[in-house]
Amino acid sequence: MCGIVGYVGRQKASTILIEGLKRLEYRGYDSAGLAVLQGDGIELAKKTGRVGNLVKEAKKHRFTGTTGISHTRWATHGGVTDANAHPHVSSDGRIALVHNGVIENYLSIKKFLIGKGYTFSSETDTEVLCNLIAYHFAKATKTGDESHFLGSVRKALRHAEGTYGIAVICTEAPGELVAARKGSPLILGVGDNEFIVASDVAALISHTQNVVYLKDGEVVHITPKEFSITTLDEEDVEAVVDRVTWDIEAAELNGHAHFMEKEIFEQPAALENSMRGRFSEDGSTAKFGGLNLGPVEFRQIDRFVFLGCGTAWHACLVAEHLIERFARVPVEADYASEFRYRNGPLSGNPLFFVMSQSGETIDTLGALREAKRKGYKVLAINNTVGSTIARETDGGIYQHVGPEIGVASTKAFTSQLLIGAMLALHVARMRDMSFADGVEYVNALKGVPDLVRRVLEQAPHIKAIAQRYAHHTDFLFLGRLSLFPIALEGALKLKEISYIHAEGYPAAEMKHGPIALISEKCPSVFLVPKSEIFNKLLSSIQEVKARRGPTIVIATEGCEFPPGLADELITIPDCHEAVLPIVATIPVQLLSYYIACARGCDVDKPRNLAKSVTVE
Ligand code: F6R
């Protein structure tokens, strides 16, 4: 949600800032802008729409400076206009700022600043913060305070309530940049005589793999030669430089039309990476290095609570099913955003897991903090090393699937399903699951990349189906038990990337209401595994056909359907229950992807959305 980049070095800042924005565009694409220190002033270009529009706009300027900031916006305060685009420049022209987050008390600060003669040209909270820094800077200039640029940023931030990742430049501090964070991610890339700050590693990885993950409340002051980190209270912080383990290749399209397509097809490798080194030597259970829980402690857990948002919540629902089914331990899966305010009663010794690809989702972070506040241990299933969630939990499991850039989550989702299945095994083997069943389960998990490959081979068949159905405006996705969350996921994917109204339902619930939607205009996608409820699912399909509803059936190979029941059939390999949700996910991902392509939608940047939702 909004992406920021800042550069200090010896190269032309504008090139690096725009390149960084292109890599962060998935975080927001309402407008984009950049500001560079040049001569005695600030050269500024900003434009509504994609970074492409900014590139055209920037050609009207002559950017030569080597210090600057840039931003790609997902609008919160103020509409999508050029004036509301970042960077914002203070009314005295001295300070320019980019911001990811929300300054909640901006109205009272604005009133104060108007009283001091500051003027505003946008409706944003960001411009208020920018002018507040300018106000402190002007005051410090009068008193001759030496470190007044850094000091004035710190002073302003002490008054700011809300969340921010910011980068600031000042006309009177050439070659300097100040950046700070609270509740929004910010990473410092440490290059060879150059520094880049960004909301995400993707924006700086082509320049350096050495990074410092800034923490909430930290402020970094950068000059062309060095950087230093302090707190808002001016205490020194020792910087820990980490090395990013993936390189720029992972953030490139590599011949794919979209990141979503690339990430769908990367899933066999991503699943291998999520499993690597996580099975016991005897091959009968899963092991995790980062849980920070001994077997005795683990054995005492009487309930698991899984929290997440959107797609990650669907993965929580599958984990609930598998842990209850195989380990017979009660599990609750809740929306993180609801859990946080619901204040429901909890059992004596629950263990919390938060699931989050980005590790920055504010609702999930809020739920994590609430559970911790109540004294519970919280672990994370997370894909982003150094993320806020990774840092604030008591331990957890990294997904290791590499950067996920497509706004619609795909490989991160199946990896979360896999880790949920591995956890179910881990817990089950500590309870009643036999060695032999454990070995069978492990072998099933190890085989999942190949099963996924087999489903991916059907892409041309699924594409042809998608093209036949792309004109419909309503879809139902129906599944039962562990495939009900996959029906939800199928509906969510279709909604978000193709703007088609879709609903996911437990198949048997259809007759309690959604059946009223069925007509020849509303196709139903059924998830039909070989199982003891196969005949029940068949009845649900019959009910749809009886009402002339088109049916797209995703079924286990070998399942037989009476003639005319499945208008379209997509098969998935027969597999262990633990991996069934993963295997069944691939066709719904491909179906949504190809439908969106057939409708000419911008798959990687769906309207109104942004990856990593850092506002409540
Ligand atoms: C949908 C999607 C979102 C995210 C949700 C949580 O395709 O990607 O629903 O799953 O915003 O994001 P993370 O996992 O980063 O917490």
Side-chain angles (χ1 to χ4, degrees):
M1 210 142 257
C2 296
I4 67 172
V5 190
Y7 178 77
V8 175
R10 291 188 295 205
Q11 301 191 54
K12 209 165 96 175
S14 59
T15 314
I16 290 160
L17 294 171
I18 288 178
E19 181 204 324
L21 287 189
K22 286 183 184 159
R23 301 213 177 271
L24 292 188
E25 207 174 8
Y26 68 87
R27 300 179 66 87
Y29 26 85
D30 289 332
S31 61
L34 81 151
V36 172
L37 286 179
Q38 249 163 246
D40 295 338
I42 291 167
E43 191 68 22
L44 175 74
K46 48 189 192 173
K47 200 74 198 150
T48 52
R50 305 288 163 90
V51 175
N53 291 0
L54 173 67
V55 172
K56 282 188 211 135
E57 182 65 21
K59 289 201 174 116
K60 299 178 193 158
H61 298 250
R62 205 170 154 267
F63 287 105
T64 52
T66 57
T67 304
I69 54 178
S70 65
H71 186 271
T72 178
R73 178 170 188 241
W74 186 84
T76 55
H77 289 62
V80 179
T81 62
D82 287 349
N84 288 337
H86 301 214
H88 288 282
V89 177
S90 58
S91 62
D92 64 8
R94 284 164 145 174
I95 302 287
L97 178 142
V98 287
H99 170 215
N100 168 27
V102 176
I103 304 300
E104 289 162 3
N105 58 340
Y106 78 107
L107 282 175
S108 60
I109 301 175
K110 189 170 184 174
K111 207 168 147 196
F112 166 79
L113 289 169
I114 288 171
K116 297 282 174 197
Y118 285 83
T119 56
F120 294 85
S121 52
S122 80
E123 303 150 284
T124 64
D125 51 335
T126 303
E127 193 186 11
V128 174
L129 183 59
C130 184
N131 273 322
L132 186 62
I133 295 170
Y135 164 76
H136 285 295
F137 184 76
K139 249 174 87 176
T141 308
K142 274 186 208 146
T143 57
D145 180 348
E146 291 218 332
S147 60
H148 54 284
F149 173 39
L150 170 63
S152 54
V153 176
R154 279 198 294 236
K155 272 190 193 128
L157 290 179
R158 279 189 219 127
H159 289 104
E161 287 165 19
T163 55
Y164 53 80
I166 56 165
V168 196
I169 51 175
C170 173
T171 51
E172 281 159 59
E176 290 182 38
L177 186 149
V178 177
R181 67 159 279 178
K182 183 183 154 211
S184 300
L186 199 62
I187 296 141
L188 168 68
V190 183
D192 190 10
N193 281 320
E194 62 178 3
F195 301 95
I196 305 176
V197 285
S199 307
D200 188 332
V201 171
L204 50 84
I205 191 77
S206 59
H207 298 273
T208 178
Q209 284 175 278
N210 298 327
V211 298
V212 178
Y213 296 102
L214 295 167
K215 299 193 187 76
D216 275 354
E218 290 183 353
V219 184
V220 58
H221 180 217
I222 304 169
T223 67
K225 287 215 166 72
E226 58 187 10
F227 70 93
S228 59
I229 304 176
T230 50
T231 64
L232 287 186
D233 298 326
E234 301 179 33
E235 279 166 24
D236 292 335
V237 174
E238 200 184 325
V240 179
V241 181
D242 279 305
R243 185 129 181 107
V244 178
T245 51
W246 50 272
D247 59 21
I248 192 63
E249 278 277 293
E252 306 274 13
L253 278 169
N254 295 337
H256 287 275
H258 300 102
F259 280 106
M260 183 175 178
E261 182 192 46
K262 178 186 176 223
E263 287 157 9
I264 288 175
F265 283 89
E266 267 174 8
Q267 287 177 110
L271 292 164
E272 305 262 14
N273 289 339
S274 293
M275 280 190 279
R276 185 161 298 118
R278 287 180 166 160
F279 293 112
S280 62
E281 271 178 28
D282 68 1
S284 76
T285 191
K287 59 171 190 179
F288 301 102
L291 296 183
N292 300 331
L293 270 179
V296 176
E297 236 181 316
F298 215 89
R299 192 73 184 75
Q300 283 160 357
I301 291 154
D302 61 2
R303 174 177 292 270
F304 290 91
V305 182
F306 281 80
L307 304 171
C309 297
T311 286
W313 175 67
H314 299 156
C316 293
L317 290 174
V318 174
E320 174 184 35
H321 179 89
L322 294 179
I323 294 174
E324 291 193 340
R325 162 87 177 79
F326 288 102
R328 314 294 304 154
V329 182
V331 182
E332 201 177 321
D334 203 352
Y335 285 114
S337 51
E338 289 294 296
F339 169 83
R340 181 177 176 188
Y341 294 105
R342 204 161 46 83
N343 202 18
L346 290 159
S347 60
N349 198 18
L351 177 63
F352 281 77
F353 274 95
V354 288
M355 284 214 202
S356 175
Q357 186 284 127
S358 62
E360 300 293 347
T361 302
I362 203 83
D363 289 320
T364 311
L365 191 56
L368 144 66
R369 287 177 179 158
E370 175 64 4
K372 286 195 76 170
R373 187 191 65 75
K374 289 185 168 175
Y376 296 108
K377 191 151 194 161
V378 186
L379 305 179
I381 296 171
N382 169 229
N383 190 38
T384 311
V385 175
S387 63
T388 311
I389 286 179
R391 270 208 304 263
E392 292 200 15
T393 41
D394 300 296
I397 305 167
Y398 274 124
Q399 298 180 231
H400 297 311
V401 299
E404 188 181 67
I405 293 169
V407 166
S409 183
T410 52
K411 64 175 178 176
F413 176 62
T414 47
S415 146
Q416 286 163 350
L417 296 181
L418 176 69
I419 290 170
M422 292 171 78
L423 260 177
L425 170 66
H426 184 71
V427 182
R429 286 284 290 130
M430 290 177 108
R431 289 177 159 77
D432 302 323
M433 185 185 274
S434 69
F435 176 80
D437 287 348
V439 170
E440 192 193 337
Y441 195 122
V442 167
N443 288 338
L445 294 173
K446 287 184 176 166
V448 75
D450 275 337
L451 298 180
V452 168
R453 263 181 216 112
R454 276 171 60 190
V455 185
L456 288 171
E457 281 165 14
Q458 293 190 61
H461 170 55
I462 298 173
K463 185 174 181 179
I465 297 174
Q467 284 166 345
R468 284 198 286 281
Y469 288 78
H471 63 283
H472 286 279
T473 53
D474 295 282
F475 274 75
L476 283 181
F477 282 76
L478 301 158
R480 296 189 69 164
L481 305 176
S482 67
L483 297 193
F484 162 52
I486 308 309
L488 291 175
E489 175 64 5
L492 178 63
K493 288 284 95 98
L494 192 63
K495 271 186 275 219
E496 63 182 340
I497 59 169
S498 66
Y499 321 135
I500 292 174
H501 167 244
E503 291 197 41
Y505 249 89
E509 280 294 302
M510 182 201 42
K511 57 187 178 293
H512 297 290
I515 197 163
L517 297 172
I518 301 293
S519 75
E520 63 280 7
K521 291 188 178 151
C522 176
S524 297
V525 180
F526 277 94
L527 295 157
V528 188
K530 195 166 86 185
S531 71
E532 69 271 22
I533 54 165
F534 177 75
N535 285 334
K536 311 274 178 211
L537 280 158
L538 224 51
S539 303
S540 302
I541 306 176
Q542 298 275 16
E543 288 155 17
V544 168
K545 279 307 334 162
R547 288 156 184 87
R548 300 192 312 279
T551 53
I552 301 170
V553 177
I554 298 167
T556 311
E557 279 161 6
C559 285
E560 303 232 332
F561 296 92
L565 210 60
D567 294 319
E568 310 289 349
L569 184 64
I570 301 166
T571 55
I572 53 172
D574 196 3
C575 58
H576 193 285
E577 248 185 286
V579 298
L580 173 64
I582 302 173
V583 177
T585 295
I586 312 304
V588 299
Q589 291 174 341
L590 287 171
L591 193 64
S592 312
Y593 172 70
Y594 288 127
I595 288 179
C597 290
R599 290 167 75 93
C601 296
D602 191 346
V603 173
D604 280 339
K605 298 184 190 74
R607 72 179 177 215
N608 304 340
L609 290 175
K611 205 160 180 74
S612 182
V613 184
T614 52
V615 293
E616 262 201 75

